Amino acid sequence: MLNKNNMPFGVLIGLIFPVMAFVAAYLLKYNVDLINRPALPYFIAIALNLVLIRIGSKRGSDQTVKGIMLATFVCMILVFFKIHPLR
């Protein structure tokens, strides 16, 4: 399963951490003590995606890395424009 080298597979892998961050941010929306910076889970998800990009580039999965980068950049744009559930 991890040997697939195509862009849609990379997008799916790249969306795992941002979706988990979205769910965590939504669940912690009213708990100010645990999360006082609303974009923090998204930045952690972006950092984890960058680790996935590094691992994929070492394995030579160029198309998968392109998909992960696409998902990461879309998430970065959404965080930059403050489109998250904690508004």
Side-chain angles (χ1 to χ4, degrees), residues 20-45 79 84-87:
M20 288 174 37
F22 178 79
V23 170
Y26 184 75
L27 292 176
L28 298 173
K29 181 162 77 171
Y30 298 111
N31 194 350
V32 179
D33 294 336
L34 288 178
I35 181 168
N36 57 1
R37 292 190 175 99
L40 185 64
Y42 302 108
F43 288 123
I44 292 171
V79 169
H84 52 76
L86 300 178
R87 277 175 89 180

Side-chain angles (χ1 to χ4, degrees), residues 16-83:
I16 291 172
F17 291 125
V19 167
M20 288 174 37
F22 178 79
V23 170
Y26 184 75
L27 292 176
L28 298 173
K29 181 162 77 171
Y30 298 111
N31 194 350
V32 179
D33 294 336
L34 288 178
I35 181 168
N36 57 1
R37 292 190 175 99
L40 185 64
Y42 302 108
F43 288 123
I44 292 171
I46 290 168
L48 290 173
N49 272 356
L50 293 176
V51 171
L52 288 177
I53 290 171
R54 174 81 173 164
I55 292 170
S57 66
K58 280 188 175 183
R59 289 188 176 180
S61 304
D62 295 335
Q63 294 297 317
T64 304
V65 169
K66 287 180 185 178
I68 295 171
M69 277 194 282
L70 176 68
T72 303
F73 286 133
V74 168
C75 291
M76 284 193 303
I77 289 170
L78 293 177
V79 169
F80 181 74
F81 288 113
K82 298 181 182 177
I83 302 171

